[in-house]
Amino acid sequence: MQHSSIHWFRKGLRLHDNPALLAAAADCHRLHPLFILDPSSGRAGANAQRFLLDTLRDLDGSLREMGSRLFVVRGCPEEVFPNLFHAWGTTRLTFEVDTEPPARQRDAAVAELAARHGVEVIQEVSHTLYDTKRVLALNNGKAPLTYKHLQSLLASLGPPEKPAPALTWEHLRGCHTPCQVSHDADYGVPTLEELGQDPTAVGPNLYPGGETAALTRLDTLMERRAWVCSFKKPKTEPNSLSPSTTVLSPYLKFGCLSVRTFWWRLDELYQGLLWREFFYTAGASIPNFNQMVGNPVCLQVDWDKNPQHLHAWREGQTGYPFIDAIMTQLRTEGWIHHLARHAVACFLTRGDLWVSWEEGLKVFEELLLDADWSLNAGNWLWLSGSAFFHRYFHVYSPVAFGKKTDRDGVYIRKYLPVLKDFPAKYIYEPWKAPRAVQERAGCLVGTHYPQPIVEHEVASKRNLGRMKAARARKGTKQEPQASSSMAESQRKKPKIEQR
């Protein structure tokens, strides 16, 4: 039987390792590669939307080289599909499995619509290394709550599947994509302005989106064999002016790069990919994973409601240059080093401001290029001390931590130019500079740059007591280690640690 197929691109925005796309092309006489811009999905900011539009243009260009095109449609999928099924005479719909709860609800509704219209639905797993359903089934339907436990479960499954072949001309032989002269007007990739974003408000496009850029970046990294083999994330620098990690996370988030392709080419770094799998598996099965209330693994904490502190943190106005420089880089470029994420997350929550991790999650969801739902929630749960991680006395110092890798404050001078003329002695603590030094630097603290909104030593000690109290209410005296590797680096005496 010859099918009229729609392949619905969602997170798998690529032609390589896309088994659902290959299923759409099989026995197909008419193919519509589709992307739906759903206005109700997420809080993506301008940088992330620009990355997505780059990706869609790249995908359309790759399809065009094969005689096909990408169809971009706006609207809610449940409302869009009935019209497309009718207009395009669709008999088959294919898409990649999405593990996240809101997406699962949407996909179930779309599958039900397709059934009512007599359309076959094919879903394929390719956004995660393993089928999360299989992993959960091995653990009696429950998410493994330690990394070591996940490792033991995955060991019984063996290595991830090899990537599927990339779509080629051969797959599309005899398969026609009906494109009209008005295709760009009717189904073209929109501009940032058309999405309601001001293109002048976004930062430099340091990480252009798309499969082409993703594979080029991966190839470039693989050429640095010595760097890959000696790579240790804890020894990279959160305030390096050029990224000291791969910056492949945005490409994995949008599916420009297949995680299975990454695994098989970078198996030396498999631990990092398994952390991704750990949080995907947890997010797929733990109710209300992205919030505190109703989340069975989350510590219930009486966080402060302080809009002023939240605003200062978000806008890089806390008075702590290391924190403010990180948040400025995030806002302008859409990416920050993983240790920089640790520092600002700890500062917002249990370290200094005692503001709920849910507020930080929302900001990261808007501003990060790679804000995966599961990974974003899992990391905020971790860094706030709410789940998985119980060494809550480990606090990132907003002064000392950055100095370890950038004593001269080059990173701060780039992202906070108002402080660029401060001597290195005061660049992390400008409020301690004598008035004459501030005047020579052209920046008076309290006028041109804010005073610290909290006193770190006081706030962190107070919050340590509050965290102890919250844990005592839960009755958590001893919890399993989150991972053996983390355990080795965190075996310290149980008092507050400043890093």
Side-chain angles (χ1 to χ4, degrees), residues 361-467:
L361 178 148
K362 293 172 188 174
V363 172
F364 273 26
E365 185 177 45
E366 176 189 352
L367 299 180
L368 274 175
L369 295 176
D370 57 5
D372 252 315
W373 187 90
S374 296
L375 274 65
N376 194 26
N379 278 298
W380 275 100
L381 282 162
W382 182 291
L383 269 302
S384 66
S386 295
F388 310 117
F389 172 70
H390 70 281
R391 298 285 181 176
Y392 59 91
F393 43 80
H394 165 91
V395 173
Y396 291 89
S397 166
V399 174
F401 186 54
K403 281 185 179 180
K404 291 198 300 183
T405 51
D406 180 22
R407 294 202 68 83
D408 291 333
V410 176
Y411 177 82
I412 290 172
R413 297 177 202 280
K414 174 179 179 178
Y415 290 104
L416 299 180
V418 68
L419 300 176
K420 65 182 175 60
D421 293 326
F422 269 78
K425 179 179 178 181
Y426 298 112
I427 192 69
Y428 284 87
E429 300 171 284
W431 64 90
K432 291 185 176 181
R435 172 88 179 189
V437 173
Q438 296 183 34
E439 288 176 347
R440 284 197 298 272
C443 174
L444 298 180
V445 176
T447 301
H448 305 111
Y449 181 73
Q451 292 278 357
I453 59 175
V454 294
E455 187 177 345
H456 171 67
E457 289 74 13
V458 174
S460 58
K461 288 179 181 176
R462 181 183 66 244
N463 293 344
L464 174 63
R466 299 170 87 175
M467 184 58 73

Side-chain angles (χ1 to χ4, degrees), residues 189-232:
V189 179
T191 63
L192 267 179
E193 295 97 320
E194 289 171 331
L195 295 184
Q197 297 287 352
D198 179 3
T200 64
V202 295
N205 197 2
L206 300 180
Y207 313 111
E211 179 180 25
T212 302
L215 294 176
T216 299
R217 192 171 192 88
L218 179 61
D219 288 341
T220 301
L221 289 168
M222 289 305 298
E223 290 172 3
R224 300 166 59 191
R225 291 185 177 275
W227 181 82
V228 170
C229 292
S230 62
F231 183 89
K232 293 181 180 179

